[in-house]
Structure formats: structure tokens, C-alpha cells
Amino acid sequence: MSAVQLQRLVVRMLHDPQLVAAVYESPETALADEEVTATERTWILAQDRRRFTADPLRPRRVLKGLLDEYKGSAALLVGATRRVASLDRFFASTAFHAAIRQRRALAPAFGDYLATEGAALDPRIAAVARLEQAFSRARRGRAPSTARLAPVAADAVVMTAPHLGPVRVPGGTLAVLQAVEQVLFEISLTPVAALAEDGPTLAAVPALAGDDELYLAVGDGKGAVTLEPCAPLLLESLLVAVEPVDAGRLAWNRPDDWVSRLVNDRLVVVAAR
Amino acid sequence: MSFLTRVKKLPRLGLGVSTEYGVGGAGVLDPLELRRLHPTYGGFLEVGVEAAKGLDANARAWLTRRWPTTYHFLDINLDEPEEFDPHWLGEVRALVHELRPAWLCGDAGLWHLGPRDRGHMLLLPPILTHESIGPMAAGIARLREETGREVLPENPPGPLFLGDLHLLDFFGRLAEAADTGLLLDCAHLAIYQQQQGHDPLTALDGLPLDRVVELHVAGAMVRNHEGLEIVEDDHTPEPLPATWEIYEHVAARAPNLKAVVFECEKNSLEPCLPGFARIAAGWRRA
């Protein structure tokens, strides 16, 4: 339905001033890949463009919710760039626009954005973003029922249980996140200290070091998440199945009843095709 | 049984006030006090509900007295079938059981970008085209079936409106397609008419007024953004003249009007009293 895509285009324009400028200054180019009709394009262009920017804090309100889940990596990004604009740029990013186009949650997209933006600046940004992304996944999902299930057919489609966030991160990532959270906590005690030259800084946050860390974030269905170490074989399977995958692929090179055991242990669920 | 028959069984609630989770405290209108001091203004409480949050202390205090309520949803995009997930429906049914609302109602538009999730909330009007009506009508019918209550779509406010239908033509057709009633928000309509350069009463002659069951009245603020006049639906106690014109026109002509909400929940009581009085006078003249 083009009305659906038109609505999503409006949402994107309300959050991305760069897109607004592009649409009004070069509509043919800016709208070339949009799934909207020529008539719908005229409806957009007939609007006073100031209507799209009349609420300049709209993106910041969305950002507030995202920052609750990505405190560590966002702090590291701003620490590296010294610019809050590095967070605002999320709304001009491919990650944001794709999420809106495809009706997906913004939290995973924000994690992808932070990891991408931080890659060239500081390896700790991407590492912490991936860890926080795993927490974010686990926080939202509900554990599957406890019923014991029959063996899983080889042609079934399975995926990692929604209350789990498997993740492999560089050594030292958890220590980095904990150190950043400590700095943010100190700032929260005296917020004005963030404006001072002698206020808390990220200078003492450690570097990444050592072997990779393997974790499983586990949600309780009520918003709380715990982090557990995860065995390599199990983690590899859970990472493969974060997106739906054929049970046969998950079972490859594993014990015969591997997938059934994962399902019965509520680590993996049978997904609808 | 068609809606125009079913509507006869809906209770007449009179004037009421709205509330949302967490609104309250010192200096803010207390619905219980309103009902105690001015019973005709506090006939019912319209409870704004996000299922994930549930009910706050104010709503529960009203419920313990078994006074009338309506359920105003804040968390469903009616035209998206994915919205009707079992968990959310379970939460809504539990809240309906607790609130015992006369009906459900709420803005028929985009309540959240993408899936229901933290930080996703916004409110945008639907695209005002014939294409949008079918899916939204299906959602209304589905919610009515799932809850056992009438579901009254409300015209939302918006920073802009797109489509080839007038807002009132869209909602009139929507109500007929879903065989339901309407909640006409007079303040939101005033914002729309001003944005589109229409007179306040434009296209009201085409709206099926026998489907209007509830009206909203609320204050608004006019501000300037880079030379453009923007009207904000801010629920202050002083509605725009256009809002009053719409309200008094419709109140006098809607034969099945059962409830009017003065959306002034974030203000203290005294400044709201003139508004309640004018709403009551406008309804009495009908």
C-alpha cells in the first residue's frame, strides 16, 4: 500500500531535516526510490516545508528513549566526537530510515548506527554498542513456554528465543561499559559537573584487551536483564539463529538432537514460516 | 444489529474530564474533587491508557467508587494487523475488565512509529484517502470484537495532513465502513480547518452526526515557527473560538451524543470552570 509508505516517509521527514531539504530542493532525486505515487509526491510538496521542522525536539524525544539503552556506547561516541550532533545524525542514517521503512524497532537500528559511527573513532564504541544491543534484545522478548516439545523437524524454521541476547565482544568490553557507567553515575549526582573542565571524564575508561568475551543476556520478561557467560558452541548456534534459520542449518556439525535440545531448553523457538 | 440501533443502549455519561497515567499532584485538577464540588462536570472519567503502563492511583481511586469511565487507548495503530498481538490483547482485556468502560475510543492514526516499543510514541493523522479506510475499519471491528465494547475513532491532531479527502469525509466514511460511532474532537478539527484554510464548520454538513457519540473540547496555543502560524493542541483551559463554534454547532445537532470531555487534565480546577460551564450550556441548548 503506497499510503503506508507515504506515512512512513512523513515520519522520516519529521525526524530528518536533511531529508526535508532534499525533498523540497531536489524532489525527483530525493524521492526516486520512494514507494509513493506521483499524486502522493505532490501532496508532500504542497505542504509548507516548515511544518516538518516545527517541532525540532521531536528527534531528541526519540533519542532519550534510545539513550536509556545505549548509555555506554553513546557516551563513548560523544566523548570521541565532542558533538551531540553525532547522536542527532542517527536520524539521517541508513539504519534509521531502513527501520522506519520496514516497520522495525529503532533500538537495534541505533545499536547498528553507533557501531558503524564508532568504528573509525574508537573500537570500544562498537564493542559496547554490540553488548548493549544484546541487552536490548533480551529486554524486549518473552521466554517461550515451559512445555516439553517433540523433536524438531529438519525443515522447521527456528530462531533464538526472544528473551535472549547472545553476543561475542572483544576482551575487556564489559569492563569498559562498567567504567563508562560509573562516570555517567558520577555526572548524574551533579549534572552541572558535565560542563566543568574538572568534572568526570572518560579518561580512565580502560582499553579493550584480552580474549573475546562470550555472553548471553537473559531477559525476565519484565524489563530486567542478567548477563551470563556462554559456552562457545552454544553461543555460535544462538548467534546463527538470531534471525530465523532452517533447523537443518543449525544442526549441521552438531550432535543429532542438538536443535531439539535447544528448543526443549527454551533457548531456541520454532518460528512461523 | 447496526450501530445506529446499538447506540441506543449506550449510557448517557454527560460531561467528564480526561486523565492519563501520572497526571496529577499539587495544583493539578483532581477528578474526584471535581465530581465532589461540581457533580455535573465530573460525570465520568476518560482514562488515557497505554496497556503496558496500566492504571495509576488517580484512575484506581475513581474505580473504587465504581463511577463511570471510558477507555481512551494511546497505543494502537488501528490499521496495522500486527498490532493485535496476543500479549497486548490480553492486557487490554484485563484493563477493560477492571475499568468497566462504557466504550473504547481513541485517535485513529499513527500512535507509534514502527512496532509498539519504548520511545516510539508519536501521534500522526492517517493519510486521508479511500485506500486508508478499509484497514482502519477492519482494525476497529477487530478491537470491538476482542473487547466486547464499542470502539469510537477520534480525529487526531497533526503537524500536517495528506490525502485527497477532507478529514470529516474520511471519518464519516470510516464510521460507516466499520459500522461504528465517532468521537469528534472539536479542538483537533479546529486545528485541521485552520491549517487547510477552511472555515471551522466546513464539511460538517457531510458528517453523519447521528454517529457522533462523544465530543472533546480542549484549549490550544498559537505560536510562530519561522513565520508560520502553528496551533498546538496543549489542553490549556481556553479553547479557540473555532473550537467553541464547532462544539456548539455539533452539540445542537448530534441526536446520539452521550458524552463530552473537557480535556483540561493538566490544569488546576478554577481556570477550567468557565469552560465546563460553557460546555454544559451548549449541550443544554441542544
Side-chain angles (χ1 to χ4, degrees):
Chain A
M1 278 185 56
S2 62
V4 170
Q5 292 304 329
L6 178 61
Q7 184 75 290
R8 293 174 187 175
L9 175 60
V10 168
V11 170
R12 290 158 50 209
M13 290 176 71
L14 286 169
H15 292 82
D16 182 5
Q18 289 184 35
L19 179 58
V20 175
V23 167
Y24 280 90
E25 291 161 20
S26 307
E28 286 301 318
T29 305
L31 299 175
D33 295 330
E34 300 297 334
E35 296 174 42
V36 294
T37 67
T39 300
E40 290 164 344
R41 292 183 186 197
T42 63
W43 294 342
I44 290 268
L45 294 171
Q47 299 296 312
D48 188 312
R49 65 186 282 180
R50 290 171 292 181
R51 295 201 175 279
F52 286 101
T53 57
D55 184 1
L57 292 181
R58 185 189 297 273
R60 286 284 175 92
R61 290 195 295 274
V62 175
L63 201 56
K64 182 178 184 303
L66 296 171
L67 290 176
D68 283 345
E69 298 195 84
Y70 289 93
K71 292 188 186 69
S73 47
L76 287 167
L77 180 62
V78 173
T81 61
R82 311 298 295 166
R83 307 277 301 177
V84 178
S86 59
L87 299 177
D88 295 331
R89 275 198 297 274
F90 168 64
F91 298 98
S93 71
T94 304
F96 171 75
H97 286 280
I100 299 298
R101 274 196 169 104
Q102 295 160 25
R103 198 185 178 275
R104 290 188 279 111
L106 288 184
F110 190 56
D112 289 342
Y113 168 78
L114 289 166
T116 304
E117 280 297 289
L121 294 169
D122 182 340
R124 295 175 299 180
I125 299 172
V128 172
R130 293 303 180 203
L131 185 57
E132 291 174 316
Q133 200 173 46
F135 278 119
S136 175
R137 185 182 197 271
R139 188 173 290 120
R140 280 162 175 73
R142 287 176 212 101
S145 73
T146 54
R148 192 165 181 84
L149 302 172
V152 178
D155 61 350
V157 174
V158 295
M159 66 182 294
T160 299
H163 72 302
L164 301 177
V167 67
R168 175 195 295 266
V169 288
T173 298
L174 184 58
V176 168
L177 175 58
Q178 290 168 336
V180 173
E181 287 180 339
Q182 178 62 29
V183 173
L184 295 175
F185 171 70
E186 291 175 21
I187 292 173
S188 74
L189 292 177
T190 316
V192 295
L195 302 173
E197 290 181 358
D198 62 345
T201 73
L202 299 173
V205 174
L208 298 172
D211 295 335
D212 284 357
E213 297 171 355
L214 283 57
Y215 294 119
L216 188 61
V218 183
D220 70 350
K222 298 174 189 171
V225 179
T226 54
L227 195 66
E228 304 170 358
C230 189
L233 210 60
L234 174 60
L235 184 73
E236 193 179 320
S237 290
L238 294 181
L239 285 171
V240 166
V242 164
E243 295 295 329
V245 64
D246 287 339
R249 179 178 165 203
L250 203 60
W252 185 77
N253 212 28
R254 292 285 183 273
D256 285 347
D257 61 347
W258 179 249
V259 177
S260 294
R261 283 164 49 191
L262 291 179
V263 171
N264 289 338
D265 288 345
R266 297 190 300 145
L267 299 172
V268 162
V269 296
V270 177
R273 278 195 177 273
Chain B
M1 191 187 300
S2 74
F3 175 77
L4 292 178
T5 302
R6 301 193 313 264
V7 71
K8 305 300 181 193
K9 296 183 181 176
L10 291 178
R12 188 182 190 281
L13 302 179
L15 265 70
V17 72
S18 49
T19 188
E20 284 183 20
Y21 194 98
V23 171
V28 175
L29 185 154
D30 176 355
L32 275 72
E33 183 187 38
L34 174 70
R35 186 172 170 104
R36 181 173 62 83
L37 296 176
H38 304 277
T40 57
Y41 298 166
F44 71 103
L45 183 65
E46 178 143 298
V47 184
V49 183
E50 285 180 74
K53 287 184 176 175
L55 305 177
D56 67 3
N58 271 345
R60 293 189 183 285
W62 186 279
L63 285 181
T64 59
R65 291 156 177 79
R66 303 185 74 84
W67 291 336
T69 65
T70 54
Y71 178 133
H72 186 295
F73 52 77
L74 303 173
D75 58 356
I76 180 164
N77 300 339
L78 287 166
D79 58 343
E80 296 179 4
E82 311 93 314
E83 292 278 279
F84 292 86
D85 68 84
H87 182 77
W88 180 80
L89 283 170
E91 289 180 325
V92 169
R93 286 195 207 98
L95 287 163
V96 168
H97 179 75
E98 193 173 357
L99 270 171
R100 298 180 308 278
W103 54 75
L104 272 67
C105 56
D107 300 70
L110 196 74
W111 271 108
H112 39 265
L113 48 87
R116 201 177 283 121
D117 202 351
R118 57 180 74 188
H120 280 206
M121 196 173 187
L122 80 176
L123 180 57
L124 291 180
I127 303 297
L128 301 175
T129 63
H130 181 76
E131 180 190 351
S132 300
I133 292 172
M136 194 163 280
I140 291 169
R142 171 95 188 261
L143 190 57
R144 180 170 66 226
E145 183 185 315
E146 296 280 1
T147 61
R149 296 290 199 284
E150 297 293 343
V151 175
L152 310 180
E154 173 185 353
N155 51 306
L160 53 121
F161 293 83
L162 301 183
D164 55 4
L165 294 177
H166 187 284
L167 180 89
L168 293 177
D169 292 336
F170 178 90
F171 274 86
R173 296 182 194 192
L174 175 65
E176 286 171 3
D179 190 31
T180 188
L182 286 168
L183 188 177
L184 182 68
D185 191 302
C186 303
H188 296 172
L189 178 58
I191 291 172
Y192 171 82
Q193 302 283 40
Q194 183 266 354
Q195 263 194 35
Q196 304 297 114
H198 296 318
D199 291 333
L201 304 185
T202 299
L204 267 171
D205 56 346
L207 187 72
L209 292 179
D210 54 356
R211 291 188 180 270
V212 175
V213 173
E214 182 177 338
L215 294 173
H216 279 183
V217 177
M221 178 190 65
V222 180
R223 66 177 176 91
N224 186 289
H225 171 66
E226 299 178 358
L228 178 69
E229 189 175 271
I230 303 282
V231 181
E232 299 273 354
D233 177 45
D234 66 357
H235 289 196
T236 45
E238 293 170 14
L240 298 173
T243 300
W244 284 126
E245 186 176 353
I246 292 166
Y247 167 69
E248 287 160 358
H249 177 89
V250 176
R253 293 168 177 76
N256 292 313
L257 183 62
K258 308 278 188 177
V260 181
V261 172
F262 188 21
E263 292 186 299
C264 56
E265 66 278 1
K266 297 172 187 171
N267 307 280
S268 60
L269 178 56
E270 284 302 313
C272 300
L273 292 177
F276 277 113
R278 185 166 176 178
I279 291 170
W283 202 349
R284 274 197 297 275
R285 282 196 290 273

